[in-house]
Amino acid sequence: MKLLTLIFALAVLPPESAPTVNWSISAGGLSEGMYELVFEGELAPGWHTYGTGSKWSGPVLSLDRLVDCEPEGGLYDLTEPIMENGEPVFYGKFRLGQALRVTGGNPSAGGSIGWTSCEGKRCHFPETRDFDLTLGPAPEAAAEGAPASSSESVPLLSLVLEAILWGLAMLLTPCVFPMVPMTVSFFLKSGGSPSAGRFKAFMYGLCIVLLYTVPIGLIILITRLAGGDAVTADIFNWLATHWLPNILFFVIFMLFAASFFGAFEITLPSSLVNRSDSNSDRGGLAGVFFMALTLVLVSFSCTGPIVGSVLIRSTRGEFWAPVVTMLAFSVAFALPFTLFALFPQLLKKLRSGSWLGSVKIVLGFVELALGFKFLSVADQTYHWGILDREVYLAIWITVFSLLGLYLLGKIRFKGDALPDKPLSVFRLGLVIAVFSFVVYMIPGMWGAPLKALSGYLPPLSTQDFVLGAAPAPAADADALPGDNQAANTVSLPFGLVAYTTVEDGLRASAESGRPLFVDITGHGCVNCREMEQRVWSDPEVLSLLRDRYVIVALYTDDKTRLPESSYLTVE
């Protein structure tokens, strides 16, 4: 268990790929009544991208969220590209522009920019970056080179807020809350003036933040120095989709759940914890640091899985999102302990109660349910077929039903301190919420879309039985025109069928006269499942996809090895 805990500490790396271009997007006055969107990009070392004059791989700007303004012309190069083999190419930093004409009093611009980047003989495409800008009133004539007046809204805000909430919630976990009296006791024993006590309290909080944030920053820095963004992106992508890290995460979550249920106790090596605890008695700043280290180590068995989940989700954003999210989490986590250190006299009588044992059991059920997401990703990317949608739902329905029965007092665990007295109003509210969630999931066993859970569940196409769904051979035949005996196809939700290669899709498009709909997707892609269940399920959208388009589904995380004859090298 001690070795496993140390492995988990190294295993919570964020798993998503980093973009090859870091963008800074802003807007400034171009002329009277005109704005200019400025897209300033910085390529990862060794990578290049293409200018707007490229014949096949130039940047693509989508302005689908315009309010009180309209585009004037198309995207253009603000930086002069280098011509290589007749193609305009950018290295390092470059700038693109787009003119907008203001048509109303409260203009804003939103959309996405897409690009293709290459390094040597390999290319990443398409990559995209969303943006939203508030422009303000129509500008007067602006001097050339005037600074931008609007800047892009921060997409990490929701992740930071979530991390802050998790950091504050950690105080109520059974392995964190008992550290409160220990903190109060330590700072009550500290001598010195009030100003020295305040300084030590702030240093205590700073040490907690650094002990959580610096390791993540070092991991990212080392991988970047080893081979640039591409190395880090490959590591994150491997962590996101390969069976080994996903199975490791699954096993770790199961072991934590078993520990929370009382099967055994997961701790770091006692020598490490005892050494840091004994050093905390030295006083001074060294004692403050070792006190913070003791808190981080002792609380790890509760904060570890939560920190891992926050980091995994945070890497949907920018490359530096894991560090920012970890910083937000650690600041929120350290804040209560900093306050306890500042005002120990007010909290010296605070003690943990038996109710924390119940919190531990509830966390065990949550860990048990969430752990199956990692097994599902490995199952989907490698096509094992062991965790189809109805199997996944059956497990979740069982887990949360048992949680409801536990809260009702119908089942007990070793060392459980849940009171036998009548239900409190708070516990009744939890019971109602849990069983309502169970009732919501049950129709999913017969194919209900369950849109609120679409990001967590396996795709609907893995479900063996969908109530009321009849075979639709005519629709499938229409969607796959021409000679399809050798075509590579895949089943999608709602009876849709797609080609898995662009070549097959283009051939079918030419034969049928239908336009091509290219779905860039992934087996472990949460947002892809959200799109399918929330957008594709709309009858109008589904009718268009089935009857008007030829669909190509390109799975970026599929582990099926193609023959070398299918490889494409881009010079």
Side-chain angles (χ1 to χ4, degrees):
M1 288 299 99
K2 297 176 181 178
L3 178 60
L4 177 63
T5 306
L6 290 174
I7 292 175
F8 179 78
L10 298 175
V12 293
L13 288 170
E16 296 287 342
S17 297
T20 58
V21 177
N22 286 326
W23 291 99
S24 175
I25 305 171
S26 58
L30 183 62
S31 62
E32 186 173 357
M34 297 285 292
Y35 271 105
E36 182 180 48
L37 301 183
V38 178
F39 302 87
E40 184 171 353
E42 182 175 1
L43 283 146
W47 289 83
H48 66 270
T49 189
Y50 299 89
T52 57
S54 174
K55 299 176 182 177
W56 66 279
S57 56
V60 177
L61 179 61
S62 172
L63 296 171
D64 54 2
R65 297 189 296 276
L66 294 180
V67 177
D68 290 344
C69 60
E70 59 185 19
E72 187 84 3
L75 193 65
Y76 47 85
D77 298 328
L78 291 174
T79 301
E80 188 69 25
I82 301 171
M83 299 303 295
E84 292 185 357
N85 299 322
E87 285 285 304
V89 176
F90 291 120
Y91 292 90
K93 293 184 178 181
F94 64 97
R95 297 167 76 237
L96 307 173
Q98 170 67 56
L100 294 178
R101 180 176 298 279
V102 176
T103 60
N106 190 25
S108 63
S112 63
I113 185 168
W115 71 96
T116 297
S117 295
C118 297
E119 180 192 44
K121 295 185 177 181
R122 63 170 181 162
C123 293
H124 282 186
F125 64 96
E127 294 185 74
T128 59
R129 166 68 184 276
D130 290 338
F131 65 92
D132 285 287
L133 299 170
T134 299
L135 302 179
E140 299 179 357
E144 184 176 356
S149 61
S150 302
S151 60
E152 183 187 11
S153 60
V154 181
L156 288 178
L157 180 60
S158 61
L159 292 172
V160 169
L161 291 176
E162 180 184 355
I164 291 173
L165 292 175
W166 275 118
L168 295 174
M170 283 298 99
L171 180 65
L172 299 178
T173 57
C175 44
V176 176
F177 192 86
M179 290 298 296
V180 174
M182 187 174 177
T183 297
V184 174
S185 175
F186 174 81
F187 282 92
L188 279 174
K189 292 188 299 181
S190 298
S193 64
S195 59
R198 288 192 293 269
F199 176 73
K200 288 182 179 180
F202 284 117
M203 291 302 299
Y204 180 53
L206 178 62
C207 289
I208 296 172
V209 172
L210 293 177
L211 286 168
Y212 272 107
T213 307
V214 170
I216 297 300
L218 288 176
I219 290 169
I220 296 176
L221 178 62
I222 290 170
T223 56
R224 293 192 73 175
L225 292 177
D229 287 342
V231 172
T232 308
D234 290 342
I235 291 174
F236 289 175
N237 186 49
W238 181 82
L239 285 168
T241 61
H242 197 273
W243 67 268
L244 181 59
N246 278 284
I247 294 298
L248 177 61
F249 283 132
F250 169 71
V251 171
I252 288 171
F253 269 59
M254 295 302 103
L255 289 174
F256 270 101
S259 175
F260 286 168
F261 290 145
F264 46 79
E265 194 69 31
I266 298 179
T267 61
L268 289 171
S270 58
S271 59
L272 180 61
V273 175
N274 292 337
R275 188 180 301 118
S276 68
D277 184 47
S278 61
N279 288 332
S280 70
D281 293 329
R282 294 180 178 179
L285 292 181
V288 169
F289 171 78
F290 282 106
M291 182 64 195
L293 180 60
T294 300
L295 169 63
V296 172
L297 295 177
V298 171
S299 64
F300 176 77
S301 60
C302 284
T303 61
I306 304 300
V307 170
S309 300
V310 170
L311 287 175
I312 289 167
R313 294 193 62 191
S314 73
T315 51
R316 297 174 189 168
E318 293 295 328
F319 174 80
W320 38 267
V323 177
V324 175
T325 308
M326 193 71 262
L327 178 63
F329 172 88
S330 58
V331 168
F333 178 77
L335 180 60
F337 287 95
T338 304
L339 295 176
F340 298 151
L342 280 170
F343 308 107
Q345 291 288 349
L346 300 179
L347 299 163
K348 61 187 298 185
K349 296 182 179 180
L350 188 61
R351 295 291 184 269
S352 60
S354 60
W355 58 274
L356 288 174
S358 301
V359 174
K360 187 175 181 180
I361 300 298
V362 172
L363 282 175
F365 282 108
V366 174
E367 294 287 303
L368 185 62
L370 294 180
F372 280 93
K373 175 60 181 174
F374 300 104
L375 180 60
S376 176
V377 170
D379 180 60
Q380 292 297 314
T381 54
Y382 287 89
H383 310 291
W384 295 337
I386 61 176
L387 201 60
D388 291 344
R389 188 173 184 266
E390 66 270 26
V391 177
Y392 193 102
L393 275 171
I395 293 172
W396 270 38
I397 290 171
T398 302
V399 168
F400 285 99
S401 295
L402 290 173
L403 173 57
L405 292 174
Y406 168 75
L407 292 172
L408 283 172
K410 301 301 182 183
I411 55 178
R412 286 286 188 269
F413 290 86
K414 179 182 178 181
D416 185 11
L418 190 69
D420 292 324
K421 60 184 180 182
L423 282 176
S424 65
V425 174
F426 176 73
R427 192 147 57 101
L428 177 62
L430 290 178
V431 170
I432 293 174
V434 169
F435 279 114
S436 297
F437 182 55
V438 171
V439 172
Y440 172 77
M441 288 190 291
I442 290 175
M445 296 293 291
W446 291 274
L450 303 183
K451 294 182 180 182
L453 296 176
S454 54
Y456 293 92
L457 301 179
L460 190 59
S461 57
T462 66
Q463 186 128 351
D464 294 330
F465 173 72
V466 176
L467 185 65
D476 290 350
D478 288 340
L480 299 173
D483 182 12
N484 301 296
Q485 296 302 315
N488 299 303
T489 62
V490 63
S491 296
L492 298 178
F494 313 110
L496 298 173
V497 179
Y499 294 98
T500 57
T501 68
V502 175
E503 292 77 12
D504 286 336
L506 289 173
R507 184 166 52 251
S509 176
E511 294 177 2
S512 65
R514 297 181 184 180
L516 201 63
F517 179 88
V518 180
D519 177 27
I520 308 296
T521 185
H523 297 293
C525 173
V526 173
N527 290 334
C528 303
R529 303 292 85 77
E530 291 271 357
M531 174 65 72
E532 292 166 359
Q533 298 300 322
R534 294 181 180 274
V535 179
W536 291 19
S537 61
D538 182 272
E540 185 176 357
V541 174
L542 184 58
S543 176
L544 287 172
L545 290 174
R546 179 181 291 116
D547 303 326
R548 299 280 295 278
Y549 288 89
V550 173
I551 304 175
V552 173
L554 302 180
Y555 285 86
T556 59
D557 58 1
D558 194 277
K559 301 303 180 183
T560 303
R561 259 192 102 74
L562 297 175
E564 291 191 11
S565 59
S566 300
Y567 291 5
L568 174 65
T569 301
V570 180
E571 298 292 345

